[in-house]
Amino acid sequence: MADLSLTLGGIALPCPVLPASGTFGLQHARVFDIDRLGALVPKTITPGARTGHPAPRLAEAAGGILNAIGIPSDGVEAFIRDVLPLYKAHRPPVIVSVSADTAAEFADMAARFSGTDADGLELNLSCPNLEAGGRIFAADPRDAEAVVAGCRAVTTKPLWCKLTPAATAPGAVAAACEAAGADALIAGNTMPAMVLDKNGAPRVSNRTGGLSGPPLKPVGLRIVDDMAGRVAIPVIGCGGVMTLSDVRDYFAAGASAVAVGTGTLARPSTMVRLIDGLAAEIDARGTTLAAFREALRVAATGR
Ligand SMILES: Cc1cc2nc3c(=O)[nH]c(=O)nc-3n(C[C@H](O)[C@H](O)[C@H](O)COP(=O)(O)O)c2cc1C
């Protein structure tokens, strides 16, 4: 069987297929072997406890879904005490997704995790920066840079940045994160969107939410391509990865790995199917993971 292991953003991964935050939990161990995943990424946690948005929080949206969950969280201390050890009992590296309202709070979270055995931190920069009047951190290179620099100053743990497809210049945001010391980028998160019912009323209580699933893939490919052309650190493609052909397309766009969200919600075994499919294809071609990715990228860019 093909060797799918790689080192990405300072972390050794058994394979390049990992869960997207918020769509995966340890309960999946009852459905498939989660020790085969490239990493374990829990749902985003925040400094203090939060309840998230009221129901309804999910709606179907033309081939995808709209979610307005609103990041319910028990807070960082409860996570470190009660949840992190359960994740660390499994084989894949654990990348903890964190979010906060200000750059200083992000740095406090990063410092708090420094003393734990988390393998890396995913900075969820798709949340509103309260100091910038609610602008999403990853919408602006300076806001993103401030968070990464603040976290870099207090931890040596690998820092992965989860960016947004809503940025007008995603490559500039990616470059700012790299300059501030990020080790990898996840491109990206959901796209702000709205779904109405037959009476014209919003289908989720928050009125708007984040679009995910297949409708997001062309958007995801575009931002991965833009970022991969701008940075030397690896980019993880995220948005509408459901099939092996989606994985190939993200590799062609410049991704080194993929994260799967809605694919798991639609069919819980999606990630292990992708891992098996990727290994079979690499074996059939008699190539390596790195050469397979490189060939797809060269075909897409002509160089
Ligand atoms: C129900 C749901 C909850 C999510 N929660 C989070 C979260 O807590 N943190 C985060 O960074 N992204 C969250 N996301 C975004 C996903 O991690 C992913 O970036 C996005 O859904 C795009 O990938 P997909 O098209 O494969 O779903 C969530 C997505 C969904 C559908």
Side-chain angles (χ1 to χ4, degrees):
M1 181 111 144
D3 175 12
L4 296 183
S5 66
L6 71 166
T7 298
L8 190 154
I11 304 176
L13 307 184
C15 76
V17 178
L18 37 136
S21 175
T23 61
F24 169 81
L26 292 177
Q27 72 277 9
H28 282 113
R30 282 186 254 127
V31 189
F32 62 89
D33 182 4
I34 66 172
D35 283 348
R36 297 189 57 211
L37 299 179
L40 302 181
V41 185
K43 184 165 177 65
T44 299
I45 56 160
T46 53
R50 292 161 47 110
T51 51
H53 296 312
R57 297 165 153 193
L58 283 178
E60 276 181 44
I65 54 175
L66 184 85
N67 94 79
I69 309 277
I71 312 200
S73 166
D74 290 337
V76 64
E77 294 310 325
F79 179 86
I80 290 172
R81 186 185 61 235
D82 304 330
V83 183
L84 185 57
L86 304 177
Y87 274 86
K88 282 299 295 179
H90 290 271
R91 198 180 310 144
V94 178
I95 321 291
V96 179
S97 170
V98 298
S99 130
D101 294 333
T102 65
E105 277 179 11
F106 263 105
D108 286 346
M109 297 269 277
R112 187 63 192 83
F113 275 99
S114 254
T116 70
D117 55 2
D119 296 278
L121 292 180
E122 178 175 295
L123 307 177
N124 178 358
L125 299 178
S126 312
C127 44
N129 173 355
L130 292 196
E131 286 160 331
R135 180 170 71 208
I136 290 175
F137 281 100
D140 183 282
R142 282 158 307 174
D143 295 343
E145 188 169 11
V147 172
V148 182
C151 293
R152 185 74 295 160
V154 296
T155 184
T156 54
K157 290 222 189 262
L159 295 175
W160 294 8
C161 296
K162 175 115 173 236
L163 302 181
T164 175
T168 43
V173 177
C177 290
E178 180 181 45
D183 297 286
L185 306 171
I186 294 123
N189 211 309
T190 54
M191 187 75 186
M194 189 181 202
V195 176
L196 305 178
D197 67 16
K198 61 181 184 342
N199 300 317
R203 295 268 317 271
V204 292
S205 72
N206 192 50
R207 297 184 66 80
T208 61
L211 179 67
S212 67
L216 205 56
K217 184 182 148 192
V219 179
L221 290 177
R222 180 239 162 189
I223 62 166
V224 167
D225 183 66
D226 193 25
M227 292 180 189
R230 288 285 299 268
V231 298
I233 55 176
V235 180
I236 299 163
C238 179
V241 177
M242 318 289 281
T243 66
L244 189 55
S245 141
D246 299 326
V247 177
R248 274 192 227 104
D249 287 348
Y250 270 105
F251 284 168
S256 299
V258 292
V260 180
T262 302
T264 301
L265 302 182
R267 189 178 197 181
S269 60
T270 298
M271 286 183 282
V272 283
R273 287 167 186 272
L274 295 179
I275 294 165
D276 287 338
L278 189 57
E281 177 146 355
I282 288 172
D283 273 341
R285 289 171 185 251
T287 184
T288 63
L289 173 65
F292 178 65
R293 270 192 343 236
E294 185 61 23
L296 289 166
R297 182 67 176 150
V298 169
T301 57
R303 62 196 139 77

